[in-house]
Amino acid sequence: MSAVPSNPNFERSLAFVLDAEGGFSDHKHDRGGKTNKGILQREYDLYRDNRQEDRRPVKEISDEEVEDIYYNDYWVRGKCFKMPWPLCVVHFDGCVNTGVGQAAKFLQRAVGTKDDGAVGAKTILAMEAKINDIGVDAVCANIIVQRDGFYDLLAKLDATQKSFSAGWDNRLEKLKKHIA
């Protein structure tokens, strides 16, 4: 039984992320190293350390642990719970795929506030105002365009990352369809 509170937007968002992330991976060019369901080995080690539990391979992570990590380290930390659908899934997926700080910058740029990488009260107020002004779909579209450019830049700056370009493009296309 999960300790994560019931939240339909989180559940829908998590389903998207788990589908996008897939299962176990240990790609030689993935900077995260061994990953399962999108959870890095080092992240899983920290999670188990904080619970004073023995470390174990990320390949053995339970569904409950995955849900707990995504809820606390991405959904709550990224302030996704303060966002309407579909912005919450766009931001949550960005938190998972690019990091919470980078995803915050995408959101902040999309809503016209200082991009300091931390979603706080000013960002939430700017987000609400921007949604009232141009609509949630336009904010989502802006973030997706920024992410696309970010991925292109990663591949340009580091040739080893080009092997992930098709996957990143597919993820964004699936995200667009998921929120349509």
Side-chain angles (χ1 to χ4, degrees):
M1 187 115 211
S2 177
V4 172
S6 179
N7 178 315
N9 282 346
F10 172 68
E11 292 159 11
R12 290 170 68 188
S13 299
L14 181 61
F16 175 81
V17 164
L18 289 174
D19 182 62
E21 289 292 342
F24 182 76
S25 172
D26 190 13
H27 192 284
K28 66 180 179 178
H29 295 303
D30 187 341
R31 295 176 182 163
K34 292 179 182 173
T35 305
N36 194 13
K37 299 178 184 180
I39 306 297
L40 308 176
Q41 180 67 59
R42 69 177 175 266
E43 183 177 23
Y44 188 44
D45 290 345
L46 181 61
Y47 175 84
R48 303 235 354 139
D49 290 349
N50 287 339
R51 282 154 186 71
Q52 298 180 341
E53 297 172 343
D54 292 337
R55 289 183 178 187
R56 63 183 190 192
V58 73
K59 203 171 196 177
E60 297 174 15
I61 194 169
S62 72
D63 290 344
E64 184 178 277
E65 290 171 317
V66 168
E67 186 176 275
D68 193 33
I69 290 169
Y70 276 132
Y71 181 77
N72 290 297
D73 295 350
Y74 297 93
W75 184 262
V76 172
R77 193 166 150 236
K79 305 292 191 290
C80 304
F81 61 93
K82 293 187 177 235
M83 300 172 194
W85 185 268
L87 181 56
C88 60
V89 69
V90 170
H91 183 64
F92 178 64
D93 185 59
C95 287
V96 170
N97 199 238
T98 66
V100 174
Q102 183 60 55
K105 290 178 183 181
F106 295 144
L107 173 67
Q108 290 165 329
R109 292 174 194 149
V111 302
T113 192
K114 183 180 177 187
D115 63 344
D116 63 8
V119 175
K122 289 179 183 178
T123 301
I124 297 300
L125 286 173
M127 174 199 72
E128 291 168 347
K130 187 61 92 172
I131 289 171
N132 285 335
D133 184 33
I134 66 172
V136 70
D137 292 339
V139 174
C140 291
N142 182 302
I143 291 169
I144 291 169
V145 166
Q146 288 184 69
R147 283 179 62 186
D148 189 39
F150 178 79
Y151 297 136
D152 289 346
L153 183 61
L154 286 179
K156 183 179 177 183
L157 294 175
D158 182 350
T160 67
Q161 299 304 292
K162 286 182 185 176
S163 62
F164 300 110
S165 291
W168 291 329
D169 290 344
N170 288 338
R171 187 179 189 126
L172 291 179
E173 287 305 313
K174 287 179 182 178
L175 183 59
K176 289 179 200 174
K177 289 177 183 170
H178 186 73
I179 66 173

